[in-house]
Every structure is written in C-alpha cells, then in structure tokens.
Amino acid sequence: MERIPILRMGEFLLVTIQVDMHDRLAMTLQDDLTNKIQQTGASGVLIDISSLEIVDSFIGRMVANISAMSKVLDAETVVVGMQPAVAITLVELGLSLPGVRTALDVEKGMQLLRGALGAHEEEAQYAACEG
Amino acid sequence: MSTKEKSRISDVIKRNEEGLLADWLQEQDSKVRHNIKEVVLREQCAEFLQLLNVAYETGLDIKRSEWDGVRKFLAEISRRRGEAGFSPSETATFVFSLKRPLFTLLRKEFGKDAVLLADETWNATLLLDGLGLYTTEVHQKTREEVIARQQQDMLELSTPVVNLADNILALPLIGTLDSSRTQVVMESLLQKIVESGSTVAIIDITGVPTVDTLVAQHLLKTVTAARLMGADCIISGIRPQIAQTIVHLGVDLGNVITKATLASAFKLALERNNLAIMRTASPVKHKNIEVA
Amino acid sequence: MPLAKVEPVAMWTEPDLLQVRQPAGRAVREETIPLQSEADIVQARQLVRKWAIEAGLGLVDQTKFVTAASELARNTIIYGKGGIMRLQMLHEGVRRGVRLTFEDKGPGIADIKQALTDGYTSGSGMGLGLSGAKRLCNEFDIVSKVGEGTRVMIARWK
C-alpha cells in the first residue's frame, strides 16, 4: 500500500508530503509517525508541506493531532514550508493549529528544534493563532 | 419574417460573398486608422460572414444560443481591438461598415419589390445595430479590464517590500488601506517572505491615516498567515490616534507585536536574529573617503 | 431528483452572514462526478482546480475554492452517505465563474442555522465546515431536508 516515507535525520524525523493525500493515507501517516517516534526515540518531527497546495480541515486536524501525539511521546513538531495561498486560506477558514510550531523551511525548522531543545528560556516562535 | 424569406437573405449573401467581402473591406479601409494587416482583416470579415450566414438561418434574435458563435467571434475581435487601444467607434465600425455593401446588395436583389426590400433592409439594420452595439459593450468591458489591471499593477508598485537586513523585511504602507489593496499587500508580503527566506517582517503603518475594523482585521490576518508560514510580523508606526481607534474598536491584537517606530521594530527584529548595531571604536575608513 | 429546485432562500437573519442572492450567470458547460469514497475527494479537488484555472481565477482564489470544495465533498461522503458534485462553468457577460453543487440523499441537516455557526475554532472540532467553506466563496447556498438529503451550492467568480 502507498505510504509516505519517514526519513531519519539524526535525532529528528523528516516527513515530506508531496502528494495530494487522500484521507486514508493521512491516517496511515499519523500511525506510522507515532510508531516511528516511539521506536527511534526521536526528539523532533519536521513535517515538510512545501509541496502541498491544498490544506483543508482534515489535513489541518491531522497535523494538529500529530503535533499533540508527538508531544505526549516527548517530541516537538515543526511544520515547514506552508505556501502563502494555503496560509491565507487557513486563516480565512478560521483554522487554528494550536501548539503547532512553524518554520519557513527544513533548515530553519531544525534550528528551531535544536533551539527548543537547548536553553529553556529561549524565546520560542509559536505560529498558532490563539483566537 | 417567414422561413422562405429568411433563407433568401443568407442565400443572397452566400451567392454574392466575394463581392460583398470586397465591398465591405473597402468600406473599412477608409474608416479605420490603425493598420490591421489586410490579410488578417480579410480573414476576419470572411469568417464573420460565414458565421452570420449560419446564424441568420435561425432568425434574428442575437441573444439566442444559435448566435453564440457570432457573438463569441465579435467579442474576440472587440477584445483584441480594445486591448490594442482602438476607440469604441473604430471597433464597432467592423460591423457597421457592412451596412452599406449589404444594403446595396439587397437593393439589387429585391429592388423590384418595395415592401420586401423595406422589410429586409429594416431587419438587416436591426441585426447589424444589435451586433455593433454588442461589440461596443465588449470593448468597454475590455477597457475596464485593462484599467483594472493597470490599477493592480500600480497597487503592487506602491507597496514595495524592502529587504532591511538578512532575514528582515520591511513593508512601509502609505495611504489609505482599503479591502482590495490590503489583500494585494498581504499576498505580496507573504510571497516576498518565501522568496527571501525572511523570518521577520515589519509592517510600518506610519503613512496610513486611518485604521478601521476591517483594515485591522486584514492586518491581523496577514500576521496570522505569516506565522503559519514560519515568519513573525511586527507592526510599527502606530500613531497615538490609531492606537486610540484600535482600543475603541475593541480590536484584540492578541500576541501581535507592535512598536511605535520603525526604528524600534528594526532593533527588535535584529535582536530576534541575534544581531545588533554597534558603534565601532574608530571611524570606518572607506576607499578614498575619510569619514570624520 | 427528489429534491426541489434550489431556490435561494434566506434561511437565517444574522446580518454578518453572506447575503443570498439569485444565482447569477449562465452555465455554458457542465460535468458531474460521483462522490462515494474518500478517493473521490482527491479527484474532486483536482477537477475543481482545473476548472478554476480555466475560469481565470488567481492562485489564492483557486486555493480557497478548491479547499471549500474539499470540505463539502467530504461532507457529502461522510455525512451525506455519498452523492454527486456538479461543476458548471458560468458566463455573465464577460465575467467567468465556476459553480459547484454538492447533492446527497443522506439524512439531511436538522438545524442549518446552527450548522452554519459551528465554525472551527480549535481545529479539532467536528463541525461540518460549512461556515468555513462559505467564507471562502463568493456565493453560497444550502437546502436540506431531514430524511431527504442536502444540496449545497458554492460559486467563485473571477
């Protein structure tokens, strides 16, 4: 069955979503990711959505779920590369991604993860709209 | 008009197509200033006559679907001429200049029957008037579209996004912000954020005289969208009056960072990137220039 | 079709909701696809994207419209127990637009007004996404009858 590959980059996991996902694929990704976090003991997850042209409420919820579940497994999630049109649409939808951090690209995302794991009082960048 | 007479008109045109075409081309030659290649014009006229014939068979109501082909063809011609800067008259002339050659032809064919000639001439007039007016409408809409596009271009030009330093963008807004302008601004800023890889964007509204709820909402949406992408926005240049308005309107700025001046916003942006502006110990020496 | 013709009717009175007006424009082309399984959602998205591009919509407008279509397509499959999506290319003078109609013969929505105010506030809500979809489009209309089905119409103009 079609699966989205999860790459390991040191203590982080990297998922690159490139296809227009159908719901079942998204659910599978959720499962695979949580399993992998547990298996590898990864401390951070990077979800690269720079190729995603559509993010609807289902995918939004999936991302929020992954982030929440990762946190329970003691890993931070960063969503990277959201396209401007997608960001504008999500804001219009009123979809908030609570507790989900974001970064412009994978590199900045990793910086963010390393920073978050470093000093405690680091000024963290929260992407979510709190209202 | 009975079916028998209907088909006589298109029959007449079909039999005399070459002659009619030549006469029509000649009429336009004298009236149209711009240089449309003779060959192109001839093609356009020929196609129009053919389409006209087909539609003529079904009657005179140009709004009906059988006339879709004719209207589509005319719309295309009008649009092209509108974009090329032709005046409405020059565009409509394409249709109207067909009148004289056509009436001459009708007189030749039906000259003996005064009543029939009058009827057919009247029908032809109605038809060509309708089509001519249609081209004018399309022409106008096209000009409006051109103007709208130019306005859009002006909007984009008037909201330049500036690269202040590594990873720091500044967007100095000047003038009134309306809904459509703010949307253009928003999209432009977000695009620049991606292109430059900037993590901080300073939106300076010193030059914006008033901020109402709608504008405030748009600004907030921009900030939220930027955050979803992984960049932070700082809104600077909030004058006391605007600060008052925002409070009165009950707009909740939430965690949006605001600074009174662009300078303080810039300083904050630098700090965010672990940068700072320092005074150097001795004057910096440039080639050939001594800085006191 | 057991459902009556869609008459745009103001079914609510909140002032800030989109004003329902007569659907404008003439449909010059039409296509209907089934919405039965979630794989159909992806197909629907791609088809709507194609039509939106053809109508001349800019990238942001395309994205908004396709996202709205995705929400409504999912609703049709999950809540409506399957149905269809009809695409129509609209012409109004020189203006171009796309209209989508989602129809199902599912259980219907009992309280439309409530469904329209249940927005996504936390991203984990189970709302029908109707209000979100509405905000993303120029035109929105919904007719639903318990036990008979639901029809939602959205349109986006260039």
Side-chain angles (χ1 to χ4, degrees), chain B residues 219-272:
Chain B
L219 284 175
L220 285 178
K221 282 188 192 169
T222 307
V223 174
T224 311
R227 277 195 184 147
L228 280 174
M229 288 167 51
D232 266 333
C233 287
I234 307 172
I235 301 186
S236 69
I238 302 185
R239 287 174 293 120
Q241 302 94 301
I242 295 192
Q244 273 180 23
T245 314
I246 290 178
V247 170
H248 280 163
L249 288 175
V251 174
D252 181 17
L253 288 177
N255 338 349
V256 175
I257 308 159
T258 53
K259 286 285 176 189
T261 65
L262 178 51
S264 42
F266 184 46
K267 188 154 164 281
L268 176 61
L270 288 171
E271 281 167 22
R272 277 276 171 83

Side-chain angles (χ1 to χ4, degrees), chain C residues 104-121:
Chain C
D104 66 69
K105 294 187 199 157
I109 303 167
D111 191 342
I112 293 187
K113 191 164 169 181
Q114 210 222 0
L116 280 163
T117 52
D118 274 354
Y120 281 100
T121 49

Side-chain angles (χ1 to χ4, degrees), chain B residues 42-90:
Chain B
R42 175 174 275 273
E43 257 174 48
Q44 289 175 345
C45 293
E47 195 175 337
F48 181 68
L49 282 180
Q50 270 175 11
L51 288 166
L52 190 65
N53 261 346
V54 169
Y56 226 143
E57 311 259 344
T58 67
L60 289 177
D61 187 354
I62 64 171
K63 291 202 203 61
R64 290 184 49 181
S65 57
E66 288 87 346
W67 284 85
D68 275 357
V70 179
R71 274 181 296 129
K72 191 164 158 220
F73 178 76
L74 282 180
E76 190 48 46
I77 299 231
S78 306
R79 204 168 284 135
R80 263 190 262 153
R81 293 193 181 190
E83 289 192 348
F86 279 60
S87 74
S89 313
E90 286 163 347

Side-chain angles (χ1 to χ4, degrees), chain C:
Chain C
M1 280 262 77
L3 289 179
K5 179 178 185 294
V6 176
E7 312 277 41
V9 167
M11 295 175 121
W12 52 86
T13 54
E14 275 128 300
D16 59 335
L17 291 180
L18 204 79
Q19 225 198 354
V20 173
R21 50 194 170 89
Q22 285 290 338
R26 203 164 41 90
V28 300
R29 202 167 94 237
E30 197 174 294
E31 190 178 333
T32 304
I33 64 166
L35 295 174
Q36 293 297 334
S37 69
E38 37 124 291
D40 294 332
I41 302 179
V42 176
Q43 209 217 358
R45 290 207 282 251
Q46 287 171 356
L47 199 56
V48 175
R49 168 80 72 180
K50 209 164 71 137
W51 282 54
I53 292 176
E54 215 188 293
L57 295 181
L59 181 60
V60 176
D61 286 348
Q62 284 172 40
T63 308
K64 287 182 178 174
F65 197 50
V66 174
T67 306
S70 187
E71 301 287 335
L72 296 176
R74 185 170 292 108
N75 279 1
T76 304
I77 294 171
I78 296 182
Y79 300 112
K81 312 278 187 277
I84 57 119
M85 174 178 84
R86 186 181 312 122
L87 303 100
Q88 287 172 309
M89 186 65 74
L90 303 175
H91 282 195
E92 192 190 16
V94 206
R95 272 181 97 204
R96 299 273 177 279
V98 180
R99 180 189 296 146
L100 305 174
T101 310
F102 298 83
E103 276 178 23
D104 66 69
K105 294 187 199 157
I109 303 167
D111 191 342
I112 293 187
K113 191 164 169 181
Q114 210 222 0
L116 280 163
T117 52
D118 274 354
Y120 281 100
T121 49
S122 64
S124 58
M126 285 298 289
L128 293 176
L130 286 176
S131 50
K134 180 161 63 73
R135 274 194 293 278
L136 295 173
C137 307
N138 297 133
E139 288 175 26
F140 176 96
D141 188 26
I142 177 168
V143 176
S144 185
K145 208 150 174 211
V146 172
E148 283 190 27
T150 308
R151 177 189 287 154
V152 183
M153 183 282 287
I154 54 172
R156 185 99 208 175
W157 290 89
K158 165 93 180 98

Side-chain angles (χ1 to χ4, degrees), chain B residues 78-245:
Chain B
S78 306
R79 204 168 284 135
R80 263 190 262 153
R81 293 193 181 190
E83 289 192 348
F86 279 60
S87 74
S89 313
E90 286 163 347
T91 306
T93 290
F94 180 77
V95 172
F96 290 136
S97 55
L98 178 56
K99 276 194 182 181
R100 197 163 25 172
L102 185 59
F103 293 165
T104 312
L105 196 59
L106 290 178
R107 206 175 32 224
K108 214 169 59 161
E109 295 280 330
F110 302 131
K112 307 246 165 53
D113 188 338
V115 172
L116 182 59
L117 177 62
D119 278 342
E120 291 309 328
T121 308
W122 175 244
N123 288 328
T125 294
L126 272 182
L127 181 77
L128 292 181
D129 281 350
L131 292 175
L133 284 175
Y134 177 73
T135 65
T136 307
E137 273 175 34
V138 176
H139 180 279
Q140 194 179 335
K141 289 232 167 69
T142 307
R143 295 301 299 168
E144 281 169 14
E145 279 170 21
V146 170
I147 291 174
R149 257 203 319 264
Q150 288 173 338
Q151 273 181 337
Q152 184 88 328
D153 289 339
M154 266 185 6
L155 269 183
E156 290 184 20
L157 283 174
S158 65
T159 51
V161 180
V162 177
N163 222 314
L164 279 187
D166 262 351
N167 288 347
I168 305 174
L169 289 180
L171 176 64
L173 293 176
I174 298 177
T176 14
L177 287 178
D178 62 24
S179 202
S180 66
R181 185 170 172 216
T182 321
Q183 263 176 313
V184 171
V185 160
M186 182 160 141
E187 291 176 31
S188 174
L189 177 64
L190 295 180
Q191 193 57 43
K192 286 279 164 44
I193 287 177
V194 173
E195 283 169 18
S196 63
S198 303
T199 46
V200 182
I202 304 172
I203 303 176
D204 184 76
I205 58 173
T206 311
V208 176
T210 48
V211 171
D212 60 16
T213 327
L214 220 56
V215 171
Q217 273 176 0
H218 277 301
L219 284 175
L220 285 178
K221 282 188 192 169
T222 307
V223 174
T224 311
R227 277 195 184 147
L228 280 174
M229 288 167 51
D232 266 333
C233 287
I234 307 172
I235 301 186
S236 69
I238 302 185
R239 287 174 293 120
Q241 302 94 301
I242 295 192
Q244 273 180 23
T245 314

